[in-house]
Amino acid sequence: NGADAANDAAGTSIETMHVDQRPWMNVIVGQTALQDGTPIRMPIRIINSGKTPAYKLEGKFVVNLLRQTDQPDFNYTEHIHPIYQVNGGVAIPNLPNDMQWNVLPKYVPIKKPIHPVIATTTIKKAIEDGSVYIVIHGEMTYSDVFGTEHWLKFCSYAHNIVGVPEKMTAGTCGPY
């Protein structure tokens, strides 16, 4: 029937326009210099690379220093380990939100103070030899101008070793 075909074509056209016009949230992790005696801080950029604003933006992020054999757990429940939270409200297209987040220990008991990981000669050497690495992972939710909810999950990790097998450092990052 011609009316059904026209309705299907119109629906497909609207869906295509929504995908083309929607916000697309991205997280970019930069590099950091390790200076003895100072907290290790990771530069994080959150940006909407889409064409329209993202609304009701909320996110939870973890920045940890892990042993080579440890994997991120992707658990964002409070009191499991320290998390950073973002309640950005609205993310305007192509307007970056740049932050510097301290690397924190993976598990901190409830009601204990949270201290950032401090760069030391020992930690720098461990990062260089691949026995520890820095991992940043998180999840965000947001809505588009059409009222559709979207989400983003990401994982990124940093080490200074070339040729370290993927399974040795954050092998669960890619699938996440």
Side-chain angles (χ1 to χ4, degrees), residues 54-59 85-91 97:
Y55 297 98
K56 298 191 274 183
L57 177 67
E58 293 185 7
Q85 293 192 41
V86 171
N87 288 321
V90 177
N97 185 356

Side-chain angles (χ1 to χ4, degrees), residues 17-93:
M17 186 269 301
H18 282 197
V19 169
D20 179 61
Q21 296 297 313
R22 66 164 272 199
W24 293 93
M25 297 305 299
N26 296 288
V27 177
I28 301 161
V29 179
Q31 295 181 327
T32 189
L34 301 175
Q35 296 178 330
D36 281 349
T38 63
I40 302 173
R41 297 177 61 91
M42 295 302 296
I44 311 288
R45 172 173 278 187
I46 298 174
I47 189 165
N48 173 2
S49 62
K51 294 181 180 176
T52 56
Y55 297 98
K56 298 191 274 183
L57 177 67
E58 293 185 7
K60 294 182 179 185
F61 303 86
V62 173
V63 184
N64 290 143
L65 181 70
L66 301 179
R67 289 187 308 261
Q68 163 185 341
T69 54
D70 288 345
Q71 297 292 323
D73 62 13
F74 309 117
N75 188 331
Y76 306 105
T77 305
E78 291 187 51
H79 307 301
I80 298 296
H81 49 72
I83 58 174
Y84 290 98
Q85 293 192 41
V86 171
N87 288 321
V90 177
I92 304 299

